Amino acid sequence: MSAPDLELTGPVPSPAHRPLHQELVVTLYGLYGAGGMLPVSALVAMLADLGVDGQAARSTISRLKAKGILRSRKHDGVAGYTLSPDVLDLFRADDQRIFAPERSKPGDPWSLVVFSVPEAERNRRYELKAELTSLGFGFVAAGVAIAPSTVMGQAMGRLAERGLDGYAEYFSGDYLKSGDIRALVPQWWDLGSLDRQYEDFLEDYAGLADYWERRTAGGGPLPASEHRLAFATYVPLLTLWRKFPYRDPNLPLEYLPEGWKAPRAKQAFLTLHRILCDPAATYAGELLDARN
């Protein structure tokens, strides 16, 4: 997307990559809810700046309320919602993996989760596999999941919270068979799909990172007139990026295909975060002040 397009239409992902409305709401609460309430009018106004019309915004809020993700609350006579504490805690726990993920090194031990779920509880088996996948695990065989050792603590905690640890045993170990482990990694993880997702991200945001770097080349802050644009760029950016540190197991680069796009995508994200985070927060604060 070119700079003139940005100024005319606002920098949003292509329709194929755009975050779901519900995902945007969770991001807004995680960023600007401060653990408290967002007035309905402020939430609807923020979503409008993200390209979500009023009717769609209210439908999304209703669905999230029905699921227990949003909870009704009034403060000084103003109606609003708070984010479920569990969801808010998960959002805040993302910070380490989003901004400073730990990449494993060749020779580091592997984490193994060996699990067995009775056929009568197949839904729990699906849930367990989904949780492990969301934490970056691959699968060596049926009932055997593998990941770098850096994620084992979080995996054990997540499965315990979900009541799934009774089906699993946890191990740490080395790969002892001779041969090139790089040839095995694509069998355990769907690296092709993940690389295409990074490519989609770069398609939307690499040009934006260059654009905003040029806009701030002098080192000064963004003018207030661009805070709304910063907000409309930053919220979808973070919403999309939050998924990658979990999908990506952060394997050693030596184990990954040539031309792996994750480092370029991460650089684009960090560039945009550095430039846009504060002005986006300033704009969101102005919307909240106007409705409190």
Side-chain angles (χ1 to χ4, degrees):
M1 191 176 294
S2 66
D5 288 333
L6 290 177
E7 293 170 353
L8 288 172
T9 65
V12 296
S14 67
H17 313 149
R18 191 173 298 159
L20 298 174
H21 297 170
Q22 296 182 32
E23 295 171 334
L24 292 171
V25 170
V26 172
T27 299
L28 290 172
Y29 271 93
L31 286 172
Y32 310 123
M37 187 188 79
L38 284 181
V40 174
S41 60
L43 185 55
V44 170
M46 288 180 182
L47 288 168
D49 283 325
L50 301 174
V52 182
D53 65 44
Q55 181 177 351
R58 288 181 170 82
S59 295
T60 299
I61 292 167
S62 295
R63 286 194 296 271
L64 291 174
K65 181 183 177 183
K67 293 178 180 179
I69 295 174
L70 293 182
R71 300 180 179 180
S72 299
R73 180 179 167 188
K74 278 194 173 183
H75 180 69
D76 293 336
V78 178
Y81 293 94
T82 60
L83 194 64
S84 159
D86 290 343
V87 177
L88 185 60
D89 288 347
L90 183 60
F91 187 95
R92 289 172 173 168
D94 286 349
D95 282 358
Q96 174 65 28
R97 290 189 72 151
I98 289 174
F99 296 105
E102 187 177 355
R103 184 172 296 279
S104 59
K105 301 180 292 296
D108 283 354
W110 294 95
S111 295
L112 291 172
V113 178
V114 180
F115 58 92
S116 178
V117 182
E119 182 63 23
E121 300 179 76
R122 65 179 69 180
N123 288 342
R124 298 293 273 170
R125 181 190 304 150
Y126 174 81
E127 185 181 352
L128 194 154
K129 290 183 68 174
E131 290 291 349
L132 292 173
T133 300
S134 73
L135 291 168
F137 278 79
F139 294 90
V140 177
V144 182
I146 188 170
S149 58
T150 53
V151 304
M152 180 60 98
Q154 189 171 18
M156 294 174 68
R158 179 79 66 84
L159 296 187
E161 290 170 3
R162 302 294 191 270
L164 296 167
D165 59 335
Y167 304 107
E169 303 296 340
Y170 308 104
F171 301 91
S172 177
D174 300 319
Y175 181 75
L176 301 179
K177 188 176 180 179
S178 61
D180 183 9
I181 198 169
R182 183 174 180 173
L184 295 172
V185 164
Q187 301 175 29
W188 300 341
W189 284 273
D190 188 353
L191 296 181
S193 175
L194 183 59
D195 204 44
R196 287 190 294 274
Q197 292 170 50
Y198 277 124
E199 185 174 19
D200 290 343
F201 182 88
L202 285 165
E203 180 182 318
D204 283 329
Y205 289 107
L208 289 176
D210 292 340
Y211 170 77
W212 285 104
E213 275 203 302
R214 291 194 300 270
R215 296 289 293 148
T216 57
L222 286 177
S225 61
E226 297 202 33
H227 287 181
R228 179 174 179 266
L229 187 56
F231 173 86
T233 305
Y234 183 68
V235 174
L237 165 79
L238 184 62
T239 304
L240 289 169
W241 186 259
R242 285 178 61 227
K243 302 174 183 180
F244 281 109
Y246 292 94
R247 293 171 177 168
D248 190 335
N250 273 310
L251 298 170
L253 292 176
E254 292 86 347
Y255 296 168
L256 295 168
E258 295 292 336
W260 183 244
K261 298 179 182 67
R264 284 181 55 217
K266 180 181 178 182
Q267 185 57 52
F269 167 74
L270 292 176
T271 296
L272 287 165
H273 169 73
R274 171 177 53 82
I275 295 170
L276 302 178
C277 179
D278 289 344
T282 298
Y283 180 78
E286 292 169 354
L287 285 180
L288 285 171
D289 289 343
R291 287 160 174 82
N292 281 330

